[in-house]
Amino acid sequence: MFTSEKEYLKHYNIHDYDVPLVSVDIAIFTLLDGKLHILLVERGDFPQKGRWSLPGGFINQQQDKDLHATALRKLTEKTGVKTPHLEQVATIGNTKRDPRGWSVTVLYMGLIPYAPTADFIETVADARWWPYEVAIKQNLAFDHIELVTQARERLRVKSGYTVLPVYVLNAPFTLTQLQQAFEELLGTEIEKKSFRRRIQAADLLEEVGEGLPEGGRGRIAALYRPRKGSEQHAFIRAFGGSEED
Amino acid sequence: MFTSEKEYLKHYNIHDYDVPLVSVDIAIFTLLDGKLHILLVERGDFPQKGRWSLPGGFINQQQDKDLHATALRKLTEKTGVKTPHLEQVATIGNTKRDPRGWSVTVLYMGLIPYAPTADFIETVADARWWPYEVAIKQNLAFDHIELVTQARERLRVKSGYTVLPVYVLNAPFTLTQLQQAFEELLGTEIEKKSFRRRIQAADLLEEVGEGLPEGGRGRIAALYRPRKGSEQHAFIRAFGGSEED
DNA sequence: GAAATAGTGTCTCTGAGACAATATCGT
DNA sequence: ACGATATTGTCTCAGAGACACTATTTC
């Protein structure tokens, strides 16, 4: 049919093809009053207008150089928050998830220290932090309940062998605060000595002075902030004892 | 603009939007003569005609109910092999990876016991197993060299805390064969006793008789096959001692 | 019996889990 | 001194790593 690559590309037109919708959705978590929260937006337009959903949207071929850029842009436009950690979780694509037809979404998971959402937000009626347990009982748009639980699961598992939970805290923080963040994100308690031993042996934090302890009373606590690159450290042994299945 | 969901959907037309290309690519690995191999196809059509690439292609909105189905269909069409393990690795999307423009690909990784490729193959000039080390020195199509290394890395890491390597062997197999598969997929040696202790304690295999040992000479070896569901078992401690970074 | 392969015994070392003890702060 | 919180000591236990040893097969 075509005789050269150049010839082929000249005649290529994506609209000759039957392409699915592609979107990016972002599950952003934080810790507020010691509890896991997730950021949801109320949809301002059809479809599913008025329902709560994950922030997200379509790729802008002019503005976005890659998928990660799309995720960051959508997050800023819709919520005004900036995340220090954003990772891809999975891509879900099927015929049923969107009434408009075959639809593919790339799901991201992000973590951030608590920050209020911006006053001005585009194309959404509202952007709000929800306690996780409350959020999953809402009637979310599309298949977002599954996306939310999938992102939550990634967060839980990865909190067991990395120091991801540092990203829901504002530095500097005490080891007790960090342990509480781990426990909330893991959904289980950690033995204090085990926790401190692991964190300190890994040398992923640097001490930056001392400060008030957790409850305002008691012995002065050492304050820490994450070292550069601590994000990608993986322990060979996971917290929690019971094996994953 | 619209007053109801129904109204909105009636006027919705995906071709009004600027959508990217979406494809699925599959990195299938096997073990042949004790060495890791990967399945590549020679592209029969433009673009990049004549270059070797991962098997893959576009979603067929009529035939495929989800992305996983697309991956399975493409694999069968292009190579004739059926895989007992197929998992999603990541989704790569950017402006540069395809000369046709903004392009998104969902990368899958699969494992299979060695089987020849089918004689009849659609839209590809050839489908062949390549030794991994040779494959990555080829000038692969698009950004497939990065996809291949990303899938390889997933395989390596996951071989450290699961029993994934069982899927490159034909059951029944001996523990020695399994250990050799682990070592090749991990890219490192494992101490025999540690290996056997772990595998046997986890109770993921069932014994199915005895058979000739590895080299045809020597003591008769016990033969095993994976138990149902062993696939999703994860050890809390990874093989290899050195921590991931 | 020798070579080859399968399988075991056992010591050491690392790091998690449990829990008690000590240290330092405000009042 | 007391209550609260931070920090450390130390014992136990699971499981990886190392390496030597025993067992069973073919030739």
Side-chain angles (χ1 to χ4, degrees):
Chain A
M1 185 170 175
F2 297 109
T3 54
S4 76
E5 184 94 4
K6 208 165 160 184
E7 181 77 1
Y8 164 82
L9 287 174
K10 209 166 77 189
H11 291 88
Y12 172 79
N13 180 352
I14 192 172
H15 289 120
D16 295 344
Y17 297 86
D18 201 16
V19 287
L21 267 179
V22 188
S23 60
V24 169
D25 287 306
I26 309 125
I28 294 285
F29 296 98
T30 194
L31 206 58
L32 176 55
D33 299 330
K35 281 293 180 187
L36 183 66
H37 281 62
I38 184 168
L39 190 55
L40 297 180
V41 299
E42 193 179 359
R43 294 183 58 84
D45 287 334
F46 289 110
Q48 313 245 342
K49 184 170 172 176
R51 282 168 77 180
W52 290 88
S53 71
L54 292 175
F58 300 107
I59 295 161
N60 180 317
Q61 305 200 195
Q62 278 67 53
Q63 283 182 257
D64 305 332
K65 73 174 211 294
D66 57 24
L67 285 171
H68 201 268
T70 304
L72 286 174
R73 180 177 57 79
K74 278 294 160 191
L75 199 57
T76 315
E77 283 177 10
K78 299 210 169 179
T79 70
V81 305
K82 296 220 157 118
T83 171
H85 177 80
L86 188 63
E87 69 178 57
Q88 201 183 283
V89 175
T91 297
I92 296 90
N94 60 53
T95 50
K96 297 189 173 164
R97 58 180 307 277
D98 191 303
R100 290 167 288 190
W102 233 103
S103 153
V104 172
T105 195
V106 183
L107 173 63
Y108 280 79
M109 185 271 281
L111 298 176
I112 186 179
Y114 176 74
T117 53
D119 284 344
F120 175 75
I121 36 188
E122 300 176 24
T123 69
V124 294
D126 200 0
R128 283 226 305 260
W129 288 109
W130 291 71
Y132 179 76
E133 295 300 333
V134 176
I136 58 171
K137 295 209 173 63
Q138 301 308 114
N139 182 14
L140 302 182
F142 308 112
D143 58 352
H144 285 201
I145 183 64
E146 277 135 57
L147 305 191
V148 166
T149 51
Q150 216 171 318
R152 172 71 181 102
E153 183 62 9
R154 164 74 62 96
L155 176 58
R156 193 184 64 75
V157 171
K158 219 167 162 184
S159 294
Y161 64 94
T162 66
V163 289
L164 265 200
V166 299
Y167 294 108
V168 297
L169 294 180
N170 275 300
F173 44 78
T174 67
L175 286 184
T176 301
Q177 289 172 325
L178 183 58
Q179 178 171 351
Q180 286 169 351
F182 266 87
E183 290 176 337
E184 176 67 12
L185 270 50
L186 275 171
T188 172
E189 305 216 325
I190 307 173
E191 210 290 320
K192 183 165 53 167
K193 188 60 194 285
S194 300
F195 178 74
R196 300 170 90 97
R197 194 170 34 206
R198 179 200 277 234
I199 295 295
Q200 297 194 304
D203 195 36
L204 297 171
L205 305 181
E206 54 188 349
E207 213 181 313
V208 290
E210 304 190 319
L212 279 179
E214 193 48 12
R217 266 203 297 253
R219 176 170 167 179
I220 296 289
L223 297 175
Y224 298 87
R225 69 167 173 225
R227 254 190 234 293
K228 197 79 181 169
S230 56
E231 181 169 5
Q232 51 245 19
H233 181 88
F235 296 93
I236 63 170
R237 211 160 151 173
F239 264 136
S242 78
E243 305 187 353
E244 306 300 333
D245 256 324
Chain B
M1 185 172 176
F2 296 110
T3 54
S4 76
E5 184 94 4
K6 208 166 161 184
E7 182 76 1
Y8 164 82
L9 287 173
K10 209 166 78 190
H11 291 87
Y12 171 79
N13 179 354
I14 193 173
H15 290 119
D16 296 343
Y17 297 87
D18 202 18
V19 287
L21 269 178
V22 188
S23 59
V24 169
D25 288 305
I26 308 123
I28 293 285
F29 296 98
T30 195
L31 207 57
L32 176 55
D33 298 331
K35 282 292 180 187
L36 183 66
H37 282 61
I38 185 170
L39 190 56
L40 298 180
V41 299
E42 192 179 0
R43 293 183 59 83
D45 287 334
F46 290 111
Q48 313 246 342
K49 185 171 173 176
R51 283 168 77 179
W52 290 88
S53 72
L54 292 174
F58 301 107
I59 294 160
N60 180 316
Q61 304 199 198
Q62 278 67 53
Q63 283 183 257
D64 305 333
K65 75 174 211 293
D66 58 23
L67 285 171
H68 201 267
T70 305
L72 285 175
R73 181 177 55 80
K74 280 292 159 191
L75 199 57
T76 314
E77 283 177 11
K78 299 211 167 178
T79 71
V81 305
K82 296 223 158 113
T83 171
H85 176 80
L86 187 63
E87 68 178 57
Q88 201 182 283
V89 175
T91 298
I92 296 91
N94 60 53
T95 51
K96 297 189 170 162
R97 57 180 309 276
D98 192 302
R100 290 166 287 191
W102 234 104
S103 154
V104 172
T105 195
V106 183
L107 173 63
Y108 280 79
M109 185 270 282
L111 298 174
I112 186 179
Y114 176 73
T117 52
D119 285 343
F120 174 74
I121 37 188
E122 299 175 26
T123 71
V124 294
D126 199 0
R128 283 226 304 261
W129 288 107
W130 290 71
Y132 178 76
E133 295 299 333
V134 175
I136 58 171
K137 293 207 173 64
Q138 301 308 115
N139 182 14
L140 302 182
F142 309 111
D143 59 352
H144 285 200
I145 182 64
E146 277 134 58
L147 305 191
V148 166
T149 52
Q150 216 172 317
R152 173 71 182 99
E153 184 61 11
R154 165 72 63 96
L155 176 57
R156 193 184 65 74
V157 171
K158 221 168 160 182
S159 294
Y161 63 93
T162 66
V163 289
L164 266 200
V166 299
Y167 294 108
V168 297
L169 295 179
N170 273 302
F173 44 78
T174 68
L175 287 184
T176 301
Q177 289 171 326
L178 184 58
Q179 179 171 350
Q180 287 169 351
F182 266 87
E183 290 177 336
E184 176 67 11
L185 270 49
L186 275 171
T188 173
E189 306 216 325
I190 307 172
E191 212 289 318
K192 182 166 54 165
K193 189 60 193 286
S194 299
F195 178 74
R196 299 170 92 97
R197 195 171 31 206
R198 182 202 276 239
I199 295 297
Q200 297 192 308
D203 196 37
L204 297 170
L205 304 181
E206 54 189 348
E207 212 181 315
V208 290
E210 304 190 319
L212 278 179
E214 192 51 10
R217 263 204 298 254
R219 176 172 167 178
I220 296 287
L223 296 175
Y224 298 87
R225 69 168 173 224
R227 252 191 236 292
K228 198 78 180 170
S230 56
E231 181 169 6
Q232 52 246 20
H233 180 88
F235 295 94
I236 63 171
R237 208 162 154 174
F239 263 136
S242 78
E243 304 188 352
E244 307 299 333
D245 258 325

